[in-house]
Amino acid sequence: MQSLEPAGVGARNVQECLLLQIGRDPDADGSAQRIVRDCFSDLERGRLPRISAQLGMTPEELKKSLRYIRALNPRPGLAYGSGAAPYVQPDAVIVRKQDGYHVVINEANCPKLSLSEYYRNMLGSDEYISAYGYLRTNLDSAEWLLRSLGKRKKTLQKVIRS
């Protein structure tokens, strides 16, 4: 999985993520891998003089390497996310009242559909006789859909009550 794109995905921690990105970059800073691999806890805490002393680097060399490291992405998968995960809306909730429990269907999840009277009237008009078959087929399909949605709502209530 760690060989997939983007570089760093599938890492177990931030350090491993950065090392994966550095390892794949042909233009990586020469000291960046050593800094992340050997001095990561000091890097996290901003102990730059300690890193410089441990790796024998001048402050200028360290600053150059840090600029490269800061340009890496510690969370490469976020670029493919769509933000916060949407909350699941229940089809119904059960409410406790004095006389027992009641099923309340979440109407926000039920589409509010109706048939247009305009198209119903077209069926009875001689002006649209050539389109009668098309209108009849589609109005029948729409009526079937509305009946099916009503049955779904009733079935949902029955299932939850049981």
Side-chain angles (χ1 to χ4, degrees):
M1 182 165 167
Q2 291 179 353
S3 65
L4 299 174
E5 290 296 325
V9 74
R12 291 174 284 248
N13 54 44
V14 175
Q15 181 181 21
E16 186 176 39
C17 177
L18 298 176
L19 287 171
L20 287 168
Q21 290 176 53
I22 294 166
R24 282 207 214 162
D25 185 359
D27 300 324
D29 178 84
S31 301
Q33 188 167 22
R34 285 181 37 219
I35 293 169
V36 173
R37 185 187 60 227
D38 301 335
C39 305
F40 191 71
S41 63
D42 290 328
L43 181 63
E44 287 180 309
R45 291 171 180 79
R47 299 180 189 150
L48 303 183
R50 190 170 172 170
I51 296 171
S52 189
Q54 183 176 340
L55 298 179
M57 299 175 71
T58 67
E60 290 76 28
E61 291 171 328
L62 181 60
K63 283 181 186 179
K64 180 180 174 256
S65 295
L66 290 177
R67 271 194 301 276
Y68 172 80
I69 293 169
R70 286 185 183 116
L72 299 174
N73 187 354
R75 296 183 190 99
L78 287 181
Y80 297 96
S82 60
Y87 288 99
V88 175
Q89 296 292 323
D91 288 325
V93 293
I94 300 173
V95 178
R96 184 177 183 183
K97 295 187 178 180
Q98 288 180 348
D99 61 336
Y101 293 95
H102 297 273
V103 175
V104 178
I105 299 294
N106 183 355
E107 295 295 333
N109 288 347
C110 299
K112 292 169 183 44
L113 303 175
S114 63
L115 295 177
S116 169
E117 285 303 315
Y118 174 76
Y119 292 109
R120 281 189 198 272
N121 293 336
M122 286 174 71
L123 277 174
S125 171
D126 291 338
E127 186 178 345
Y128 300 102
I129 198 73
S130 62
Y132 181 85
Y134 175 79
L135 289 169
R136 179 80 269 155
T137 300
N138 286 297
L139 281 173
D140 288 346
S141 294
E143 288 171 345
W144 175 85
L145 177 63
L146 291 175
R147 283 191 309 275
S148 296
L149 289 171
K151 285 181 183 178
R152 178 191 181 276
K153 186 176 178 180
K154 288 178 185 173
T155 302
L156 185 61
Q157 286 177 323
K158 287 178 185 177
V159 168
I160 294 171
R161 279 193 187 113
S162 68

